[in-house]
Amino acid sequence: MSKIHAAITGVGGYVPAYRLTNQELETMVDTNDEWIQSRTGIKERRILKGEGLGSSFMGVKAVAELLTKTNTDPKEVELVICATVTPDYTFPDTANLIAHQLGMTNAFTYDLAAACSGFLFALTTGAKFIESGTYKKVIVVGADKMSSIVDYTDRSTCIIFGDGSGAVLLEPNHEGVGFQDSVLKSDGAGLENLNIKSGGSVRPPSHETVDRKEHFIYQNGRPVFKAAVTGMAGAMNAVLERNQLTVEDITWVVPHQANIRIIEAVADMANVPMERVMVNIQKYGNTTAATIPLCLWEWESQLKKGDKLLLTAFGGGYTWGAIYLTWAYG
Ligand code: ACO
């Protein structure tokens, strides 16, 4: 019997309507449009407004679109993995809430927390359940309401992040197209440069932690920038080499949207022309686990069966990696 590949057979996406522009940020912190655009490439980001709405709200929207587009009965879905660092609750998991709201009553669910690399880690994990023949319909969602952990008085972080969600359906393919390989890495030494200090079991929430603003993202931008460039370029090269490919073979690079300068530096190091790199950071900023599926969502109509895609990301942890896959439809 031919090897089973896990093919992406559909993409759904959702971004909230509210646009937080650089001009509005100028009224909130000491910054300006020119600085933000030249340092990050971001013009605006979407923000989820509304009481009581968390990441699952956006995940439900993206998955609902995915189910409709792929004509999938929710009861056929066997596994839902949600990559997020902004779960609705510590527990239950956000994937569980998404499955419940959409009637995916036969699925088991879990969240995966690998920050900006979350979608890569979740896609690899989901693919293994298909490749092993265990399941036939797996949904991988990336959903992050970054506005819930951003300090809008901190100009070094509030300009970067946005809210959004993207989702893919994985199904078995016997023609050889779909998920091919991944190189994934973690290094806990990254804690000091990128973290949320309180709210976990080390420092549970208290009046003091709130007063010290320790429930927001802390980032030491420069070392993260450098580690992101070397990490993403290194993982891309490793996965190419392992599959006897060169960048000329790759139709599209799909990078995590952290900063346009990081994306350009990675493309430069890997010798990929920017015409073959998906970029939408100007519209959405960094939506953490959602950036890569939101790129796939936006480029879906241009993708053709057999296209070779290289997905790459770097994020908190540190976590990073690259996935090589071939597109299964279009
Ligand atoms: N507006 C104007 N000035 C600013 C702003 C702002 N919004 N933010 C910082 N500055 C100032 C600083 O105070 C500093 O001033 P100084 O020289 O007088 O001290 C100067 O600009 C330069 O600051 P840097 O932090 O050195 O600026 P840098 O060029 O490194 O850009 C940035 C900062 C955009 C954060 C960049 O370092 C970056 O993109 N880092 C990586 C982000 C990333 O990839 N994160 C990983 C994913 S996140 C996750 O996993 C959850």
Side-chain angles (χ1 to χ4, degrees):
M1 201 181 130
S2 64
K3 181 178 178 335
I4 304 170
H5 282 86
I8 293 177
T9 54
V11 191
Y14 173 77
V15 286
Y18 191 84
R19 295 162 194 262
L20 175 58
T21 61
N22 292 349
Q23 287 70 27
E24 186 175 351
L25 281 168
E26 285 176 9
T27 69
M28 297 158 66
V29 289
D30 180 14
T31 190
N32 59 78
D33 177 51
E34 198 280 324
W35 193 98
I36 300 172
Q37 283 207 48
S38 63
R39 295 293 176 118
T40 69
I42 303 166
K43 292 183 178 169
E44 60 183 35
R45 53 305 277 143
R46 302 299 182 95
I47 303 295
L48 182 61
K49 301 269 186 182
E51 199 64 30
L53 302 182
S55 294
S56 77
F57 176 84
M58 298 185 292
V60 164
K61 296 272 189 194
V63 175
E65 185 194 69
L66 176 66
L67 293 171
T68 305
K69 273 167 79 175
T70 56
N71 205 13
T72 302
D73 177 351
K75 296 202 167 28
E76 286 175 6
V77 178
E78 296 155 293
L79 167 62
V80 181
I81 309 172
C82 182
T84 186
V85 286
T86 51
D88 285 22
Y89 305 98
T90 304
F91 71 88
D93 61 275
T94 307
N96 201 342
L97 303 173
I98 294 170
H100 173 68
Q101 286 182 63
L102 291 171
M104 297 189 278
T105 47
N106 293 313
F108 89 101
T109 66
Y110 58 90
D111 286 359
L112 193 151
C116 297
S117 310
F119 188 77
L120 297 190
F121 285 28
L123 189 65
T124 300
T125 314
K128 299 300 159 190
F129 283 98
I130 300 278
E131 287 173 0
S132 64
T134 312
Y135 298 128
K136 293 198 166 47
K137 288 189 194 292
V138 172
I139 287 180
V140 178
V141 196
D144 269 304
K145 184 184 170 186
M146 296 306 288
S147 61
S148 66
I149 53 169
V150 163
D151 174 3
Y152 286 96
T153 65
D154 173 9
R155 70 177 182 171
S156 70
T157 52
C158 73
I159 57 157
I160 297 173
F161 296 99
D163 302 337
S165 173
V168 298
L169 177 65
L170 292 174
E171 292 183 277
N173 180 287
H174 296 276
E175 300 170 358
V177 289
F179 185 96
Q180 304 293 327
D181 195 11
S182 68
V183 168
L184 304 176
K185 302 275 184 185
S186 297
D187 179 2
L191 168 70
E192 65 174 304
N193 290 322
L194 199 44
N195 58 54
I196 294 180
K197 301 214 162 4
S198 295
S201 55
V202 168
R203 261 184 233 110
S206 66
H207 288 295
E208 290 73 26
T209 62
V210 171
D211 289 345
R212 290 198 299 262
K213 299 189 172 188
E214 288 180 358
H215 298 274
F216 296 122
I217 296 175
Y218 163 79
Q219 175 167 268
N220 187 5
R222 286 207 176 164
V224 176
F225 190 107
K226 282 188 199 148
V229 174
T230 49
M232 287 160 84
M236 276 168 59
N237 281 335
V239 87
L240 286 173
E241 206 175 297
R242 211 153 77 177
N243 292 276
Q244 285 107 46
L245 295 165
T246 68
V247 281
E248 281 76 45
D249 299 312
I250 299 301
T251 326
W252 288 103
V253 171
V254 193
H256 168 55
Q257 311 284 302
N259 181 317
I260 189 64
R261 291 185 297 140
I262 293 177
I263 296 171
E264 285 172 352
V266 169
D268 189 52
M269 270 175 97
N271 255 326
V272 192
M274 284 302 287
E275 299 79 60
R276 287 196 275 130
V277 180
M278 295 185 190
V279 176
N280 60 12
I281 192 170
Q282 68 283 0
K283 294 192 288 187
Y284 306 136
N286 181 348
T287 54
T288 302
T291 63
I292 289 177
L294 280 175
C295 280
L296 297 176
W297 180 58
E298 197 166 333
W299 267 263
E300 186 187 21
S301 61
Q302 295 181 49
L303 294 172
K304 294 185 185 56
K305 188 172 177 179
D307 280 356
K308 294 182 168 63
L309 271 58
L310 206 49
L311 282 45
T312 186
F314 184 93
Y318 298 135
T319 55
W320 69 101
I323 289 178
Y324 163 48
L325 62 84
T326 49
W327 200 248
Y329 59 98

